[in-house]
Amino acid sequence: MASSAASSSAASSSAASSSAAASAEQPRSRKFLLCPICKKTHWSLPVHLRRSCMRTSSEADILAVVESAKRAVSNLMRTGRVWEYSLLSRIMQSPDTIGRMIEELESRGNAVVGIPTEAPTAAVPAVPDVPVEAPAESSSESSGELYQCPDTTKQGTSLRERMASLGYYKKHSLDHDLLVSFAKFLQFDMSNENFKQEVENVARFLYFMDPQQASLLFVRQHEKSREYFLKLSEAGLSKQTVQNYIKSVKRFLKFHTGSTDLCFTDRVLHEDCKNYISFLDNIQMATSKQVSKETTRKRFDTFQEGVLSSTQVTAVLAAAKKDFLAVIGKLHAGECSPGHQLTLTELQLVLYYLEAIVILEHAQRPGVVEHMTVTEWISRRRDDTRPGFVVVAVKEHKTAATFVLTQEQEMWFDLYFSEVRPVMLGKKRKRVEDDDETDERFFISSTGKAIYNAYNDLERLLCALPPPHSRLSPRCPC
């Protein structure tokens, strides 16, 4: 009896220790997920979102963010750990080394925090840094972007350095309640892909109006507000970019007047905010003609100077075509099981070459590549006037765009869509019921995200070509 009891006790103790070991092992095997709002990793992201960053959001929104974070981790494990030496070499030789490195890290699913408000000066670049302005528009409104090469002939201090030296990059913390709620509104209610840039625009404006404290009291300082927008123009920002700052501030106020309790907590301030919105409307009306003239001038300069001549475009596409057709041949011959045996370089070559066809050969803006959807590709139609040709129409852009593909080009695009694109999206696509398939972008980067800047992809294609074609890229060190 005693022996049996001792044996039972030992077995129970062994089971308990085994259970404890299993429970201790579970946390170590669980992946930490990155919160896209606070930029911190958490062992249990759903719990963190419900308690902190998304405590006022719906359960569906929370689950969507969690699934997005899981896909980001999967992509990071799959593609984020391998770096090509040629890419690192181009980054190190670029004028803005830190900026290019941050861009590449973020495109691979990493988060860079603690970036100083004043951009660090590049170490004596051979070519002046490219002036960087705020994007022409956020994704919720039309882009207005133009396809232009950086102006490497302009000497002197870059726009980024000039803005930093004047203190216009100083901003209030993005963790302030006024800005946090605005960011959530843009990201989840407006589905604005570029919400962070807009929030930073407002944070800089609020700092100029009151460096001590971010508040809505700036609505009672019309003259100082006008001075701020005037100073931005004097610093060298384009009229369109200044308009974008104004639009960001106006949207910030419309959110707080229409989507918060401000009208109940402070009716006087609420009324002042509405009057300030009218004040901004008057500024926009006064400068709209200047913006129109500036845009027309830029388009004319682009038309006159051109990025590449027709001869250069033909030469670039011809130089890359041999390697491109070699990859297409693998796909067409069924050597790959939906593109999975292709290397990352081969996958990117297919993507970059097709983007070059749209932008260079068919003279479309990069925004057409960035906004083209799966539905628009599936809805392509036959050209009645030319047998064998198809017409693709892209409507989610500033102006509706159409381009015509040959029968061979249609085959290339279709192989990309059926074989390469699924690999770009990633192997794991759980809980896709939250995704609207009709709104997904046609062109997908190797990180599984929509193309953010098609011009960068063209730069990568040019830099990968042998001289003299690679010298057509202003950023290529060769």
Side-chain angles (χ1 to χ4, degrees), residues 178-189:
L178 289 174
L179 297 173
V180 168
S181 57
F182 180 52
K184 291 179 181 178
F185 169 75
L186 293 177
Q187 184 179 13
F188 301 113
D189 293 15

Side-chain angles (χ1 to χ4, degrees), residues 283-336:
I283 295 180
Q284 286 182 297
M285 289 178 60
T287 59
S288 60
K289 186 172 292 188
Q290 297 175 357
V291 173
S292 178
K293 288 181 178 180
E294 180 184 71
T295 303
T296 302
R297 186 182 68 254
K298 286 183 178 180
R299 289 176 179 172
F300 177 79
D301 292 341
T302 303
F303 175 78
Q304 288 290 90
E305 299 174 6
V307 179
L308 297 176
S309 67
S310 58
T311 304
Q312 290 172 326
V313 167
T314 303
V316 166
L317 294 177
K321 190 172 183 179
K322 181 179 179 180
D323 292 337
F324 169 76
L325 289 180
V327 180
I328 290 295
K330 292 182 182 180
L331 296 172
H332 198 56
E335 297 180 16
C336 305

Side-chain angles (χ1 to χ4, degrees), residues 21 94 139 175 225 228 232 255 367 377 440 459 461 468:
S94 65
S139 60
D175 295 330
S225 302
Y228 176 74
L232 291 182
F255 161 70
W377 169 247
E440 287 194 5
E459 292 284 353
L461 177 65

Side-chain angles (χ1 to χ4, degrees), residues 426-443:
K427 297 178 181 179
K428 294 183 179 181
R429 295 280 291 172
K430 297 181 180 179
R431 305 186 79 97
V432 295
E433 64 269 15
D434 294 332
D435 298 333
D436 188 351
E437 297 290 340
T438 61
D439 290 337
E440 287 194 5
R441 299 287 190 258
F442 179 80
F443 289 104

Side-chain angles (χ1 to χ4, degrees), residues 112-116:
V112 180
V113 299
I115 300 176

Side-chain angles (χ1 to χ4, degrees), residues 256-274:
H256 282 287
T257 55
S259 301
T260 67
D261 297 334
L262 181 63
C263 61
F264 303 108
T265 57
D266 194 332
R267 287 184 175 274
V268 176
L269 182 58
H270 182 268
E271 191 63 29
D272 289 340
C273 289
K274 292 171 64 177

